[in-house]
Amino acid sequence: MWKRLIQTLGPILGLIGVYLLFAALAPEGFTSARNLVTIARQTAIVGIAALGMTMVIIAGGIDLSVGSIIALSTVAVASTLAAGVPAWLAALLGICAGVVCGLVTGLIVTRLRVGPFIVTLGMLLAVRGAAKGLAHEQKVDAPVTWLNRLLGALTESDRWMLLPPGVWLMLILALVVAVVLRYTVLGRHVFAVGANEQVARLCGIAVDRVKLFVFAAGAGMAGLAGVMQFSRLTVGDPTVASGLELDVIAAVVIGGGSLSGGEGSVLGSLVGAFIMTVIRSGCSQMGLPNWVQEIVTGGIIVSAVALDRLRHARQTD
């Protein structure tokens, strides 16, 4: 019980510690309500993608194509909007583009028995190439719709919402994913497959179906993150989100997810995403260059993975 409590509170205490550190070192504007809303807006994209990655990593997989799927989704949304498609359908098509990519990944992993790392590394390049081809290697302009307000700054008439709609969507989706993982048979099967695939198969769990589901759902959430990215950019950009998959994976690992599978939580992943954003916001307000932010982020990722390995080593001793 105590170990579980520590695992749950650890990322939260880490977030509080990082925030207090920058609150003491950064300019006063860092602790302003406006900056807190900005941090929430910036976290929404990585946070939504991290929800999908949480399921993938719990099931013992990994998806390196998340950044490319986000780029493809922005291009799909912008292209369909430019063609006169309604905004809701354009958003749905952006999400579906991600689901299709996830299904391809899942089928290759389950049917051809190729490791997820290799498959998604190939998909990273293939999907990015598809995004560039669809956009003719340039940004795609789109008309203004309600999609642009998902992560836009709140107007005076929208102040009652406190946070942009995209942030609320992230929180609602997090609740849904948490319920699925914790209280449904599917969720228990996801944990079982990640903990020990062979035992799960012997217990009658349809391992391949579970893997196919988590890859499709994870990529679909990456597609939704692409819709949010479009909301911030207001254009379809085939070069956007390059390397963002590392932030997404880092958010899950920092939040207590294990790259060995079988462990992870929605709350931890969201907290991990907020930690990444707070660090970037604090470094930016302190005037630190990007290379310093990258070193700090890289150090946090390595430390989180090292702690996870040490924890597993102690459990096996």
Side-chain angles (χ1 to χ4, degrees):
M1 177 180 176
W2 285 107
K3 289 183 178 180
R4 189 170 185 178
L5 183 62
I6 292 173
Q7 291 177 11
T8 301
L9 293 180
I12 297 176
L13 294 176
L15 174 60
I16 294 173
V18 170
Y19 180 81
L20 292 177
L21 175 64
F22 282 111
L25 299 178
E28 293 182 3
F30 178 79
T31 57
S32 66
R34 181 177 180 180
N35 189 57
L36 292 177
V37 173
T38 300
I39 289 174
R41 289 169 57 198
Q42 293 173 344
T43 303
I45 297 170
V46 172
I48 290 174
L51 295 176
M53 187 67 74
T54 300
M55 292 191 293
V56 173
I57 288 180
I58 288 175
I62 197 167
D63 191 346
L64 300 177
S65 65
V66 166
S68 298
I69 292 173
I70 290 174
L72 177 64
S73 178
T74 67
V75 172
V77 172
S79 299
T80 50
L81 284 175
V85 172
W88 67 269
L89 183 56
L92 181 61
L93 290 173
I95 297 171
C96 288
V99 173
V100 170
C101 293
L103 286 173
V104 171
T105 296
L107 287 172
I108 295 175
V109 169
T110 57
R111 302 301 180 189
L112 301 182
R113 305 299 176 187
V114 183
F117 183 90
I118 299 300
V119 175
T120 57
L121 181 61
M123 288 295 289
L124 179 152
L125 299 173
V127 175
R128 180 71 65 176
K132 291 180 178 179
L134 181 62
H136 304 292
E137 297 192 80
Q138 60 185 358
K139 294 181 180 179
V140 181
D141 294 321
V144 177
T145 65
W146 57 266
L147 291 177
N148 300 100
R149 298 193 298 272
L150 288 176
L151 281 183
L154 293 176
T155 62
E156 289 296 332
S157 60
D158 294 332
R159 295 290 183 185
W160 61 272
M161 296 179 64
L162 300 179
L163 297 170
V167 178
W168 288 115
L169 180 60
M170 175 187 70
L171 297 176
I172 294 172
L173 188 60
L175 181 61
V176 172
V177 175
V179 169
V180 169
L181 288 176
R182 188 173 180 85
Y183 298 107
T184 68
V185 174
L186 175 61
R188 290 193 290 271
H189 286 181
V190 171
F191 276 98
V193 170
N196 193 315
E197 182 178 327
Q198 294 303 322
V199 172
R201 200 183 299 274
L202 291 174
C203 290
I205 296 175
V207 173
D208 288 351
R209 290 184 182 179
V210 172
K211 288 185 176 181
L212 192 62
F213 166 78
V214 296
F215 278 112
M221 291 184 196
L224 178 58
V227 177
M228 299 299 153
Q229 183 74 70
F230 169 81
S231 177
R232 288 193 63 190
L233 296 176
T234 68
V235 296
D237 188 352
T239 64
V240 78
S242 179
L244 192 69
E245 58 276 350
L246 299 181
D247 288 353
V248 174
I249 294 171
V252 179
V253 173
I254 291 171
S258 174
L259 294 177
S260 301
E263 293 182 18
S265 71
V266 168
L267 176 61
S269 297
L270 280 186
V271 171
F274 272 104
I275 289 176
M276 304 283 287
T277 308
V278 168
I279 290 173
R280 288 201 169 132
S281 177
C283 289
S284 297
Q285 295 210 18
M286 290 177 64
L288 299 178
N290 287 334
W291 62 268
V292 174
Q293 300 179 33
E294 292 173 356
I295 290 175
V296 172
T297 303
I300 290 174
I301 295 172
V302 173
S303 299
V305 175
L307 288 173
D308 175 62
R309 294 300 183 188
L310 287 173
R311 182 160 51 86
H312 276 83
R314 289 178 180 177
Q315 290 176 353
T316 56
D317 289 343

